[in-house]
C-alpha cells in the first residue's frame, strides 16, 4: 500500500488543500486516514482553515473567467485525457479505494471504471450542449435558447463512493465550463488526493488555468462553508438525508442551487412469476455489496406469499456461502464497514428490529479473531419484519436485509413506496403485465425502477438520483448536465419595426 501512495505522490504533500497543481500550506486540524481493513493508520492529511477555503474560492473564481471561454470540445479533450490517465492508474487507484474505504477489490476497480465511463460520456457531451429554437409570434423575429456555464460547482462526496461521485459531477461540470471545488469525505481523504494529482497533471499539461480543479479537505464545517457561500451557485451533495436537509436549507436560503443525492431504502419485489435463481443473485449482491453501504443497497425484499418460504430458504443458504474478510483478497464477498461507529449503528439497528418484533433468520454480529482485528467486520443479517416498523422506515448503512410478505401486486407496490426515501427499486417477474404496472404512473415512486435486475449497479448513461427524502437531484447521464449550466432565452428582431408580444400597442 505504501508503494501505491508513493505512486500518487501522496507522501510528498500532506496538505489537503489544492487549487490544481498548487498545494496550499494548510493550517487546519490533521485528519488521520485509517483503513477499516486492518485498523492501521495510512497517512495524515492537514485540513483547511477558513482562510485556506477563501483562498481556494478566490482562485476558482479567477479561473472561471478564463475556463468558460475555452470551446466546449477543447474542454472535452482535457476530460478525455483524464479518462486515459485513469485507465493507466486503474489498478493502483482501485486498490487504494478498496483499502481506504473497505469495499471489495472488484468493486474498487469497478468504481474507477465508472470514472472512466463518465469521462467518455462527458467527451461526447462536449459537442452536444444543445438548446432549442422556437417560432416567434412576431414577424421577423427568431427565438432560441442557449446554455452557459454556471460558475463554481461545490461538490460534497461521501465515503462509500469516494471517487466515482466526484467524477460524475466534475467531468460534466468541466465540459460545461464550470470550475469545481471538491470537499471529499474526511473518512477517505487519500483517494481524493490521488484523484487531485491525476487531474492536475493532465490540466497542467494542457495549460488549464490554476483553480479549475480544486480540493478542500476537512470536516462538516467545510460543507457548511460551501452551502452558505453566495459565490458558489451550485452545491452538489451526496450523503445522508439529515446532511442533505441541512445543505438544502442553507443553499435555498441564499437562492442557490442544490443538487442532492441522499439516502435510499430500496426494495426488490419478488413476484410469484419471478425466476428465483436469477433473482437470488441480484438480491444477495444488492444486500451485501459494499457491506450494505451503497445508497442503492437492497434493504427490503417484498416477496409473494406463494414463493416466500422457498425464496427465504434460498437466501439463507446463499448467506451461508458468503466469505467475509480482507476486501483486497478477491476470494472474499464482503469487506468491513467503514469504522466502528458504523458497527455500533449496525448493532443498534439489530436490537431495535428485535425490540419491534423482527425475527432474524440469519443472525448478525461482529466478527472477531485473526483477520478481523479492525473490529469493523460484521455478519450480513436477514430479518422477517413488517414494513411499518420504525427501523425498517430508516436507512441503516449496513448489511441488514428485511423480508416482507405480500399477496397481490398492488399491495407490493404500496409497500415498496411506503417509506420516506425514493431512490432505487426493482421487480423480479416474468409477467409482462406486472412489469408494466410496476413502471407505470401508479407504480414505483423512485427515481430508478428496474425489471429483472437489482437495485444497485446503475450505469452512467442514465440520470442517477431519486425522489422524496432522496433529494430529487440527478447526476451522471441523460440530461443531468443541465444542472451545471444556466439557461438563457434569446429573441432576435431582424426587421426595422418593434412589434410587442401579445399584440400590445405602444405608439409614441
Amino acid at each position: 500500500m505504501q508503494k501505491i501512495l508513493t505512486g500518487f505522490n501522496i507522501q510528498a504533500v500532506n496538505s489537503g488543500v489544492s487549487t490544481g497543481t498548487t498545494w496550499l500550506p494548510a493550517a487546519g486540524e490533521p485528519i488521520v486516514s485509517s483503513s477499516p481493513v486492518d485498523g492501521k493508520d495510512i497517512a495524515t492529511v492537514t485540513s483547511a482553515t477558513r482562510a485556506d477555503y477563501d483562498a481556494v474560492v478566490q482562485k476558482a473564481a479567477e479561473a472561471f473567467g478564463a475556463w468558460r471561454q475555452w470551446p466546449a470540445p477543447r474542454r472535452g479533450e482535457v476530460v478525455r485525457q483524464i479518462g486515459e490517465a485513469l485507465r493507466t492508474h486503474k489498478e493502483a487507484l482501485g486498490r487504494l479505494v478498496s483499502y481506504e474505504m473497505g469495499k471489495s477489490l472488484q468493486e474498487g476497480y469497478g468504481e474507477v471504471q465508472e470514472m472512466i465511463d463518465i469521462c467518455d460520456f462527458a467527451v461526447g457531451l462536449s459537442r452536444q450542449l444543445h438548446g432549442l429554437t422556437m417560432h416567434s409570434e412576431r414577424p421577423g423575429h427568431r427565438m432560441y435558447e442557449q446554455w452557459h456555464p454556471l460558475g463554481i460547482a461545490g461538490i460534497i462526496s461521501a465515503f462509500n463512493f469516494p471517487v466515482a461521485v466526484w467524477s460524475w459531477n466534475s467531468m460534466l461540470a468541466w465540459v460545461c465550463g464550470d470550475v469545481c471545488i471538491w470537499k471529499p469525505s474526511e473518512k477517505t481523504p487519500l483517494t481524493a488526493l490521488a484523484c487531485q494529482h491525476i487531474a492536475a497533471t493532465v490540466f497542467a499539461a494542457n495549460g488549464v488555468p490554476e483553480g479549475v480543479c480544486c480540493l478542500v479537505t476537512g470536516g462538516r464545517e467545510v460543507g457548511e462553508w460551501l452551502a452558505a457561500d453566495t459565490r458558489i451557485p451550485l452545491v452538489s451533495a451526496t450523503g445522508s438525508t439529515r446532511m442533505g436537509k441541512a445543505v438544502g436549507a442553507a443553499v435555498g436560503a441564499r437562492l442557490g442551487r442544490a443538487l442532492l443525492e441522499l439516502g435510499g431504502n430500496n426494495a426488490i419485489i419478488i413476484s410469484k412469476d419471478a425466476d428465483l435463481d436469477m433473482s437470488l443473485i441480484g438480491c444477495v449482491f444488492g444486500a451485501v455489496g459494499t457491506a450494505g453501504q451503497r445508497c442503492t443497497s437492497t434493504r427490503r425484499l417484498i416477496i409473494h406469499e406463494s414463493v416466500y418460504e422457498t425464496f427465504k430458504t434460498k437466501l439463507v443458504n446463499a448467506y451461508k456461502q458468503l466469505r467475509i474478510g480482507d476486501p483486497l483478497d478477491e476470494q472474499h464477498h464482503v469487506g468491513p464497514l467503514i469504522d466502528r461507529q458504523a458497527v455500533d449503528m449496525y448493532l443498534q439497528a439489530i436490537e431495535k428490529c428485535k425490540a419491534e418484533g423482527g425475527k432474524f433468520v440469519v443472525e448478525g454480529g461482529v466478527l472477531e479473531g485473526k483477520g478481523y482485528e479492525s473490529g469493523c467486520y460484521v455478519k450480513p443479517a436477514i430479518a422477517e419484519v413488517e414494513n411499518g416498523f420504525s427501523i425498517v422506515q430508516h436507512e441503516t448503512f449496513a448489511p441488514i436485509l428485511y423480508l416482507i410478505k405480500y399477496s397481490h401486486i398492488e399491495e407490493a407496490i404500496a409497500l415498496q413506496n411506503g417509506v420516506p426515501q425514493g431512490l432505487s427499486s426493482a421487480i423480479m417477474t416474468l409477467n409482462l403485465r406486472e412489469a408494466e404496472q410496476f413502471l407505470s404512473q401508479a407504480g414505483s415512486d423512485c427515481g430508478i425502477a428496474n425489471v429483472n435486475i437489482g437495485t444497485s449497479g446503475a450505469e452512467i448513461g442514465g440520470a442517477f438520483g431519486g425522489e422524496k427524502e432522496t433529494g430529487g437531484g440527478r447526476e451522471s447521464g441523460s440530461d443531468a448536465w443541465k444542472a451545471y449550466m444556466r439557461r438563457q432565452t434569446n429573441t432576435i428582431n431582424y426587421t426595422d419595426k418593434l412589434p410587442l408580444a401579445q399584440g400590445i400597442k405602444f405608439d409614441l
Side-chain angles (χ1 to χ4, degrees), residues 93 136 246 274 287 371 460 486:
L93 184 55
S136 173
I460 60 91
R486 58 182 177 88

Side-chain angles (χ1 to χ4, degrees), residues 99-146:
Y99 185 61
E100 187 178 34
M101 184 269 151
K103 64 175 58 178
S104 74
L105 186 57
Q106 283 299 314
E107 292 182 80
Y109 293 152
E111 182 164 353
V112 181
Q113 184 61 49
E114 200 164 354
M115 301 173 75
I116 294 167
D117 292 343
I118 197 65
C119 287
D120 289 348
F121 179 89
V123 172
L125 178 65
S126 69
R127 294 180 180 271
Q128 300 180 67
L129 301 174
H130 54 268
L132 300 173
T133 59
M134 292 142 292
H135 290 281
S136 173
E137 67 183 61
R138 290 167 284 188
H141 287 59
R142 180 169 67 88
M143 293 180 65
Y144 71 101
E145 68 178 24
Q146 57 183 336

Side-chain angles (χ1 to χ4, degrees), residues 17 25-31 45-50 52 217 221:
V17 183
E29 295 296 319
I31 297 174
V45 177
T46 307
S47 63
T49 63
R50 180 63 199 229
D52 297 328
T217 303
E221 69 281 356

Side-chain angles (χ1 to χ4, degrees), residues 187-468:
K187 297 182 180 182
T188 52
L190 300 183
T191 50
L193 266 67
C195 289
Q196 181 72 6
H197 278 286
I198 292 170
T201 300
V202 172
F203 278 13
N206 286 271
V208 174
E210 187 79 8
V212 172
C213 173
C214 298
L215 176 70
V216 181
T217 303
R220 178 177 177 177
E221 69 281 356
V222 176
E224 292 172 346
W225 298 338
L226 284 167
D229 198 331
T230 56
R231 297 170 293 180
I232 300 177
L234 171 68
V235 177
S236 174
T238 302
S240 68
T241 296
R242 176 191 56 77
M243 179 275 290
K245 287 180 177 180
V247 170
V251 176
R254 61 178 176 84
L255 298 182
R257 293 191 197 178
L259 196 168
L260 302 177
E261 198 282 287
L262 311 175
N265 195 344
N266 316 294
I268 299 178
I269 297 172
I270 308 296
S271 164
K272 60 180 172 51
D273 297 318
D275 179 328
L276 297 185
D277 291 334
M278 184 181 74
S279 300
L280 184 66
I281 298 171
C283 293
V284 174
F285 176 75
V288 307
T290 324
Q293 296 173 116
R294 292 181 177 221
C295 53
T296 55
S297 288
T298 304
R299 310 287 178 201
R300 299 173 295 143
L301 293 186
I302 302 168
I303 309 170
H304 192 273
E305 57 190 7
S306 66
V307 296
Y308 183 89
E309 292 299 330
T310 300
F311 197 69
K312 181 176 71 174
T313 299
K314 286 179 176 288
L315 280 170
V316 171
N317 290 334
Y319 270 51
K320 291 177 181 177
Q321 300 174 50
L322 292 175
R323 294 184 293 274
I324 307 167
D326 183 347
L328 276 76
D329 181 343
E330 297 190 61
Q331 298 301 311
H332 292 145
H333 299 105
V334 184
L337 293 178
I338 186 64
D339 54 27
R340 294 195 179 190
Q341 182 182 4
V343 173
D344 290 340
M345 294 177 66
Y346 157 85
L347 293 173
Q348 291 168 15
I350 288 175
E351 291 307 311
K352 189 167 185 179
C353 182
K354 290 179 178 178
E356 292 190 72
K359 176 186 175 184
F360 278 83
V361 296
V362 175
E363 291 286 347
V366 181
L367 293 169
E368 299 176 345
K370 186 178 180 180
Y372 305 127
E373 290 85 357
S374 69
C376 297
Y377 292 87
V378 302
K379 300 175 184 177
I382 302 176
E384 296 179 290
V385 300
E386 297 293 333
N387 202 58
F389 287 2
S390 61
I391 190 60
V392 176
Q393 294 285 307
H394 175 75
E395 179 193 39
T396 301
F397 234 48
I400 303 174
L401 182 62
Y402 300 120
L403 308 186
I404 303 161
K405 190 181 297 185
Y406 81 94
S407 59
H408 55 84
I409 186 61
E410 291 80 10
E411 178 189 8
I413 292 173
L415 289 167
Q416 138 67 35
N417 294 342
V419 292
Q421 308 84 1
L423 179 52
S424 187
S425 60
I427 186 170
M428 299 292 189
T429 184
L430 302 180
N431 184 318
L432 178 62
R433 290 178 176 175
E434 284 188 337
E436 291 295 336
Q437 188 170 350
F438 179 72
L439 300 177
S440 72
Q441 295 180 32
S444 170
D445 64 2
C446 293
I448 299 169
N450 299 326
V451 176
N452 291 328
I453 64 170
T455 58
S456 60
E459 299 179 31
I460 60 91
F464 182 89
E467 303 302 322
K468 301 189 293 188

